[in-house]
Amino acid sequence: MLDRVRTPLRLVELPDPSPSAGQVLIRVEACGVCRTDLHVFDGDLPDPKLPLILGHEIVGIVVALGSGAPETLLGRRVGVPWLGHTCGSCSFCCGGKENLCDAPRFTGYTLDGGFATHVAADANYAFVLPESLDPIATAPLLCAGLIGWRSLTMAGDGKTIGLYGFGAAAHILAQVCLWKQQEVYAFVRPGDDEGKRFALEMGAVWAGSSDQVPPKPLDAAILFAPAGELVPKALAAVRKGGTVVCGGIHMSDIPAMPYRLLWGERRVVSVANLTRTDAHEFLEVVRAANIRTVTTPYPLAQANDALANLRAGRLNGAAVLVT
């Protein structure tokens, strides 16, 4: 439980939550640890529900139903992502853009999340998963994978893709690019030789530091590192007509830059949340492309250690809490 931002999580014992109308109660098997959890922890995202249970890459078994929840979900393994509820009535929801809902609620931010043994979740945002999937390996797909997939669709169909920040999202997305016969150029922190090695191992054709120029112009670049100073660097690396996608929910300020970096019909776009359609599409891609995740499991009681290691860049792939 997070009592106040920027204070260590506290291990507490609480009654299991009761699912409200339209909700399901899930016994959590695994919950990924995402950089967005750090942004909530650090207070980068305003007005979290406090006290709060973090975690929005949830895999578990539905053990109880609230009124109106589909009976077919009982006993099924499901995944719960960051976007935990939408209003269904605003212009965005009605226009097929529920990721931009005017009154959303977010798992592990404005709703209690999955750093727990049980969580109550909106049945509409509990995606049925194949029984054969491993919960620990699957958890990072619920945010790192989904946001990476949405970022890639916004980047277009170019053949040369730059990935800035090679962590949980990028190591999944690199495999998707390989499946789509796209070339991945990976950018890591200066001096991070282990990060370069990991990127090459995951299929990148080139890996260098974020202050280097790739060996050929990029059709698109996707930024997972929350560093605004990378936007001008990425613009300088993409060819005319190229797209720079900012894949994070929070980023430091983008510095002033010369207009010539943007000129030539280059674009800078952001990705916000996900839609249920994204989830269904991506889970099909996971199966077709045989995506595998690299994970480091932690017991639930070591959630603070997992967050600290993520912050320090001591992880390849993703950290996952196991109940």
Side-chain angles (χ1 to χ4, degrees):
M1 178 161 284
L2 179 69
D3 294 305
R4 297 187 308 279
V5 297
R6 295 183 293 278
T7 61
L9 304 185
R10 183 169 57 93
L11 189 64
V12 298
E13 186 168 339
L14 301 171
D16 292 344
S18 298
S20 301
Q23 289 189 323
V24 294
L25 178 65
I26 299 165
R27 175 174 55 79
V28 178
E29 296 176 292
C31 185
V33 182
C34 178
R35 184 160 293 277
T36 302
D37 294 315
L38 280 179
H39 292 315
V40 176
F41 180 94
D42 290 340
D44 295 328
L45 303 184
D47 303 320
K49 182 188 88 70
L50 290 175
L52 172 70
I53 299 171
L54 292 172
H56 57 273
E57 297 178 331
I58 304 169
V59 176
I61 304 296
V62 175
V63 294
L65 304 174
S67 63
E71 294 184 6
T72 54
L73 289 178
L74 190 62
R76 300 298 299 273
R77 174 171 287 137
V78 297
V80 178
W82 166 251
L83 185 59
H85 177 79
T86 52
C87 72
S89 59
C90 70
S91 61
F92 295 109
C93 286
C94 294
K97 297 181 179 179
E98 63 187 7
N99 60 305
L100 302 178
C101 174
D102 284 332
R105 301 185 74 187
F106 299 105
T107 313
Y109 176 33
T110 57
L111 297 167
D112 279 330
F115 286 14
T117 60
H118 293 77
V119 62
D122 188 329
N124 291 320
Y125 287 88
F127 305 121
V128 174
L129 300 172
E131 293 300 318
S132 59
L133 290 183
D134 174 67
I136 296 173
T138 303
L141 302 176
L142 272 300
C143 183
L146 280 170
I147 290 300
W149 172 248
R150 187 169 180 87
S151 298
L152 187 61
T153 59
M154 295 184 73
D157 295 323
K159 292 299 181 184
T160 54
I161 309 295
L163 301 180
Y164 285 77
F166 206 88
H171 98 282
I172 295 169
L173 194 57
Q175 298 173 71
V176 176
C177 290
L178 194 65
W179 175 69
K180 294 183 64 178
Q181 299 183 320
Q182 295 169 307
E183 294 180 352
V184 170
Y185 295 79
F187 298 82
V188 301
R189 296 175 182 176
D192 185 5
D193 292 334
E194 175 60 21
K196 293 179 190 178
R197 182 202 64 76
F198 181 54
L200 294 171
E201 181 182 290
M202 299 309 298
V205 298
W206 175 88
S209 67
S210 56
D211 55 6
Q212 288 184 282
V213 177
K216 64 168 66 174
L218 304 174
D219 292 317
I222 300 173
L223 276 58
F224 295 117
E229 65 270 18
L230 294 178
V231 172
K233 294 179 184 296
L235 281 169
V238 300
R239 67 176 79 248
K240 288 182 288 186
T243 301
V244 173
V245 182
C246 300
I249 193 171
H250 172 80
M251 178 179 278
S252 60
D253 289 346
I254 300 171
M257 60 185 180
Y259 176 64
R260 62 176 172 79
L261 291 178
L262 188 62
W263 189 79
E265 299 191 351
R266 296 174 177 87
R267 301 187 307 147
V268 179
V269 299
S270 70
V271 166
N273 313 314
L274 70 145
T275 67
R276 282 170 284 185
T277 298
D278 293 329
H280 295 307
E281 289 177 350
F282 178 63
L283 291 172
E284 284 299 311
V285 169
V286 168
R287 180 193 58 77
N290 194 28
I291 300 301
R292 68 180 183 92
T293 58
V294 176
T295 59
T296 302
Y298 291 80
L300 180 60
Q302 293 179 14
N304 285 310
D305 295 334
L307 287 168
N309 289 334
L310 174 60
R311 184 191 302 280
R314 291 191 287 264
L315 294 166
N316 282 333
V320 179
L321 299 183
V322 182
T323 55

